[in-house]
Each structure stands twice: as C-alpha cells, then as structure tokens.
C-alpha cells in the first residue's frame, strides 16, 4: 500500500507500459517519487514528445493545446499574448511587436489558474536594420525565428536567429553576450528557413541554395556549403528539418490558389543533402519518421515512439507565405497530413479542433511540450 516507496525498477516497468500521453501525465503527478522516475526515464520521455497544436480560443490572449495522438483538445488553457508567432523552438514561442522588440514566451510557464513562473517572458533588444519599410509596423516583420537552446538553462550560451523583412535576411543575437543584433551579409536574402546544428546554423533560400553560418565566427557564410537545387521552381516554400547533429532534410511545399485566393497545399517533396555531390538528392521514403512543418521550427519524431503519429508523413499547418506584398493570413484553412508514399492528403483533426481553428485568423503552430 506504500505507493510512494515502490522500487524504481517496478515504476519503470509501469511507465514503459503506458501508451497515452494523458496516462503519462497522470503518472507524473501521483507523488514526488513517481514524478522523479518519470523525469529521469529518458527513453520514455523521448516517446512522449510528439508535437501538439497551439490553438487560439475565442477569448483574447488564451490558447489551448490539441493533442494529435489522442485526437482531443486538452482541458488546459495557456495565457499568452494575442500575437502572430514567428517561431516555436525549444518549447518557447517567438514574436515581434510594433517596436521591433523580439520576445520569447514559454506558454507552459503561463497556465491559466496557476502562478506564472519567473522568466516566462524574455524581451530582447529591438531590431534596428539599416533599411525599414511599412513591414516594420506589422506582425510579419520577422518572417521566421528560432533559438539554439533553452534560454533559462543556457542563459549565457543560447543564440536567437531571425529572418526579417523585407528581403528575408538574417540577424542574430547572443543575449548573454550581446546588447545589439548582428546582421548577416545582405547578399544573402530571400531566406526561407534556418536551423541550428552544433555550432553552426544552416539556412536555405527561395531557390534551394544551402548556406551555413559559423556562430562562433560572427556568422561568416561558408560558401563551400552552398549548393543549388534544380527542382521544379513552382514550389511555394522550403523547410529545413534537423534530424541530429549532422543530418538534415529539406522539405518543399507545393501549393495552388482557389478562386477566393486561398492557398491549398497540393504535395510535398523531401530532399537529403549530399556533401559529396554538394547538392540535394530527392528521397521518397522517410522510414519510421513523421515531420511537422509550419511557422514553428520544423520538427521530426520517430513515429513508432510517438503513438498516434503516422510514419512517412508530413503534418502541416497554415503558415506565413510571402505572396507579393500581401501578408493576410486568410485563416488556418491549409492544414492536413501528407503521406509521402501514397502522395495523398488527409484531414486527421477532429471537428472541435477544426472549429477552433476557424474562429480566429491566427494560424495554429506546432509546439513540443516539456516534461
């Protein structure tokens, strides 16, 4: 009857038999000893990190989480600003205000009904590029953003990188060391995506050129890593997906527009980068992997470990798409799951989640929950 003092090997055995995220969370809050086992069971934690969709509710500044695994909206509300998030990385959201102040917010530190944790919001110095236009007065001045590490656990070492308008160039800051932003050589523009890998950041531009930047050497571009992608130029957008500390994929998204000028995704293509050929090589098989793309930093998971995720599939959301001078989000209509093998798109989200998405023009964004 002494549940708190059950042997660790027995608790590990119980933990390994859980298949639902909700059961894992319940196990986690039984008592301090069970929480400790859940926290230190790395293999089980790795199986419970499938991304969730962050959905804005009807109440301003309140968001909910949709669990794809269990096909349900969780009974958990997060109090975070009513902003367009330009990135979701390391469990943090990133947005920019009209004063061009870049802000990090951890939604899991701001649960409604609980005391907000310290440092749940981190404000960085404002961007001040050489050229500014009317883009600077919108929520879309920062096209996309990412961070290299958790800003609380790595306060002196993390790096924030943004792709800023109007030519989609790169800027970065090391908050523990810098007081101002550093702007990468303006020759590199129309950047679509940037991801951190070890001490480098890799970026891909509109034409599939791969650029690497050494964060230690003030983001000097390593031109030898530059390659040209000769794929069909009708692709709408490129994403980079870091698989580990040395491998990454590029995902190309192909879209069309209906009579109401609403975007619809038609298909995806996936490419591996060959450093031998210095070029992209298309692949038609992700194996036991699922990829999540959108305004977040692109995420991959091992599907067999994350129950409910379909392998060899790409989960996508409606994200920011640069179409001329028009930045209207058009609502979250372009969402679904693309099966690479069958080249088909399905709509796996339940009716309640779809209804919530349509209540607002703020597109949903993927975020990986912490444990």
């Amino acid at each position: 009857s002494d549940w708190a003092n059950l042997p660790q090997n027995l608790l590990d055995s119980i933990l390994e038999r859980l298949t639902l995220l909700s059961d894992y969370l319940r196990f986690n809050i039984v008592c301090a000893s069970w929480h400790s086992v859940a926290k230190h069971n790395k293999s089980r934690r790795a199986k419970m990190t499938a991304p969730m969709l962050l959905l804005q509710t009807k109440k301003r500044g309140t968001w909910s989480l949709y669990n794809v695994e269990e096909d349900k909206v969780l009974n958990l509300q997060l109090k975070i600003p009513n902003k367009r998030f330009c990135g979701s990385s390391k469990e943090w959201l990133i947005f920019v205000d009209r004063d061009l102040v870049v802000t990090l917010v951890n939604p899991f530190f701001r649960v409604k009904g609980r005391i907000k944790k310290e440092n749940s919001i981190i404000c960085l110095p404002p961007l001040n590029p050489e050229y500014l236009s009317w883009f600077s007065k919108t929520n879309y001045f920062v096209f996309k953003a990412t961070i290299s590490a958790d800003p609380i656990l790595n306060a002196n070492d993390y790096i924030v990188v943004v792709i800023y308008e109007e030519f989609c160039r790169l800027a970065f800051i090391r908050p523990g060391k810098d007081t101002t932003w550093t702007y990468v050589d303006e020759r590199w523009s129309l950047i679509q995506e940037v991801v951190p890998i070890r001490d480098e950041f890799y970026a891909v531009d509109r034409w599939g050129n791969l650029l690497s930047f050494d964060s230690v050497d003030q983001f000097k571009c390593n031109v030898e890593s530059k390659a040209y992608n000769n794929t069909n130029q009708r692709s709408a957008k490129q994403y980079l997906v870091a698989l580990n500390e040395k491998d990454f994929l590029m995902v190309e998204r192909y879209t069309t527009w209906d009579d109401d000028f609403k975007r619809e995704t038609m298909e995806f293509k996936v490419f591996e980068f060959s450093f031998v050929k210095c070029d992209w090589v298309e692949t038609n098989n992700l194996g036991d992997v699922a990829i999540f793309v959108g305004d977040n930093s692109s995420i991959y998971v091992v599907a067999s470990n994350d129950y409910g995720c379909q392998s060899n599939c790409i989960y996508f959301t409606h994200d920011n798409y640069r179409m001329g001078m028009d930045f209207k989000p058009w609502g979250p209509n372009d969402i679904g799951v693309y099966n690479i093998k069958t080249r088909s798109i399905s709509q796996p989200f339940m009716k309640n989640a779809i209804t919530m998405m349509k209540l607002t023009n703020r597109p949903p964004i993927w975020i990986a929950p912490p444990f």
Side-chain angles (χ1 to χ4, degrees):
S1 62
D2 190 3
W3 296 101
N5 291 317
L6 286 176
Q8 180 175 337
N9 62 335
L10 180 57
L11 291 176
D12 282 333
S13 179
I14 296 171
L15 196 62
E16 289 295 333
R17 285 167 170 76
L18 303 182
T19 60
L20 296 178
L21 175 62
S22 57
D23 289 338
Y24 180 90
L25 294 175
R26 293 186 182 100
F27 180 102
N28 188 63
I29 62 174
V30 167
C31 60
S33 62
W34 287 45
H35 170 77
S36 177
V37 169
K39 180 178 179 181
H40 292 94
N41 191 313
K42 294 182 179 180
S43 64
R44 193 58 191 151
R45 286 171 60 198
K47 297 178 181 180
M48 290 295 185
T49 55
M52 296 184 184
L53 270 181
L54 191 63
L55 307 175
Q56 187 182 21
T57 69
K58 291 187 295 183
K59 189 174 182 179
R60 187 177 180 85
T62 303
W63 298 67
S64 293
L65 287 170
Y66 172 68
N67 184 359
V68 178
E69 172 198 347
E70 298 186 44
D71 192 25
K72 66 184 294 185
V73 177
L74 300 187
N75 185 25
L76 182 73
Q77 293 188 326
L78 309 174
K79 299 291 290 183
I80 47 182
N82 181 39
K83 297 287 186 178
R84 178 251 165 184
F85 299 110
C86 52
S88 165
S89 179
K90 312 299 181 184
E91 303 165 6
W92 289 73
L93 299 168
I94 308 162
F95 67 89
V96 61
D97 62 22
R98 290 180 179 271
D99 295 324
L100 301 188
V101 173
V102 178
T103 303
L104 312 180
V105 57
N106 190 317
F108 302 104
F109 289 179
R110 303 174 64 83
V111 178
K112 185 177 180 180
R114 302 179 188 174
I115 298 176
K116 296 176 184 177
K117 293 188 178 181
E118 294 184 8
N119 299 324
S120 62
I121 289 185
I122 300 174
C123 295
L124 305 178
L127 289 161
N128 186 28
E130 184 176 356
Y131 301 104
L132 287 174
S133 69
W134 68 272
F135 287 113
S136 63
K137 300 301 181 182
T138 73
N139 284 323
Y140 297 88
F141 181 74
V142 172
F143 176 61
K144 203 158 189 181
T146 189
I147 58 179
S148 64
D150 186 289
I152 301 297
L153 301 178
N154 303 274
N156 296 320
D157 299 317
Y158 77 103
I159 302 172
V160 182
V161 183
V162 301
I163 304 171
Y164 67 93
E165 294 293 357
E166 62 189 295
F167 299 106
C168 284
R169 292 170 177 157
L170 288 170
F172 76 95
I173 191 171
R174 297 166 296 184
K177 303 174 182 178
D178 303 332
T179 57
T180 60
W181 291 82
T182 298
Y183 301 90
V184 178
D185 193 325
E186 65 180 24
R187 290 178 298 171
W188 314 114
S189 59
L190 293 182
I191 303 298
Q192 293 280 295
E193 177 81 289
V194 59
V195 296
I197 300 179
R198 298 189 305 276
D199 291 329
E200 290 186 309
F201 280 81
Y202 285 87
V204 63
D205 67 13
R206 176 67 183 82
W207 299 278
N209 295 312
L210 180 68
L211 313 171
S212 68
F213 299 87
D214 188 342
S215 60
V216 178
D217 191 21
Q218 291 291 299
F219 268 47
K220 181 180 179 181
C221 180
N222 300 318
V223 181
E224 65 270 19
S225 295
K226 188 170 182 285
Y228 186 76
N229 169 36
N230 292 315
T231 59
N232 192 325
Q233 292 302 300
R234 69 183 176 88
S235 63
K237 197 165 184 179
Q238 289 83 15
Y239 307 89
L240 284 181
V241 186
L243 301 179
N244 48 49
E245 292 189 350
K246 63 177 181 178
D247 299 317
F248 51 87
L249 302 172
M250 179 175 70
V251 176
E252 287 193 335
R253 185 173 185 166
Y254 297 82
T255 61
T256 187
W257 299 81
D258 63 17
D259 294 338
D260 295 325
F261 299 101
K262 290 186 178 181
R263 190 188 68 192
E264 181 181 0
T265 296
M266 303 302 294
E267 67 172 330
F268 286 88
K269 290 185 179 180
V270 181
F271 300 85
E272 298 174 329
F273 187 74
S274 170
F275 284 95
V276 175
K277 298 179 180 179
C278 200
D279 202 358
W280 296 105
V281 179
E282 185 174 359
T283 178
N284 296 315
N285 186 11
L286 291 176
D288 196 19
V289 165
I291 292 176
F292 296 77
V293 299
D295 271 338
N296 53 283
S297 296
S298 305
I299 306 168
Y300 96 98
V301 297
V302 179
S304 62
N305 288 349
D306 294 278
Y307 304 99
C309 297
Q310 303 174 42
S311 62
N312 206 29
C313 286
I314 298 173
Y315 289 73
F316 62 93
T317 62
H318 191 113
D319 59 358
N320 181 26
Y321 172 58
R322 300 186 74 244
M323 183 64 179
M325 303 294 285
D326 190 354
F327 279 85
K328 293 181 180 179
W330 290 112
N333 61 290
D334 192 13
I335 56 178
V337 178
Y338 181 80
N339 187 299
I340 295 177
K341 182 178 181 180
T342 63
R343 301 177 65 180
S344 61
I345 293 177
S346 60
Q347 299 291 337
F349 308 118
M350 70 176 189
K351 184 177 179 180
N352 287 349
I354 296 293
T355 300
M356 288 184 66
M357 292 180 197
K358 292 182 177 180
L359 288 174
T360 174
N361 62 1
R362 300 289 184 199
I365 187 169
W366 297 108
I367 189 167
F371 296 110

